[in-house]
Amino acid sequence: MNILLLLVPISLLLLGVAIWAFAWAVRRGQFDDLDTPAIDILREDDPLDPQRQRAPTASQAGDDAG
């Protein structure tokens, strides 16, 4: 029964830390946008830059003409 004299204050302290961490996260904007991260996985990849989309020329591909 004496252990409760130790566990109750420790649990209240942990509860206070959890409330403080939640309030800190809310003030920092961690919960402002909950929908966009879930949609990001569904978006198409950005197209590559135009220089990468062109087919390589013979000199770039390593073909020797002789």
Side-chain angles (χ1 to χ4, degrees):
M1 199 62 148
N2 289 336
I3 192 70
L4 289 177
L5 295 175
L6 178 67
L7 292 178
V8 170
I10 289 175
S11 65
L12 291 176
L13 180 69
L14 288 176
L15 177 64
V17 169
I19 290 172
W20 173 82
F22 178 74
W24 177 81
V26 168
R27 274 187 261 129
R28 297 286 178 151
Q30 295 293 316
F31 302 108
D32 284 350
D33 185 13
L34 297 177
D35 295 328
T36 302
I39 295 172
D40 281 344
I41 193 70
L42 301 175
R43 289 187 184 164
E44 291 290 327
D45 292 337
D46 291 334
L48 298 175
D49 59 358
Q51 292 176 351
R52 287 184 152 186
Q53 288 181 347
R54 288 185 290 184
T57 61
S59 61
Q60 289 175 341
D63 293 336
D64 290 329

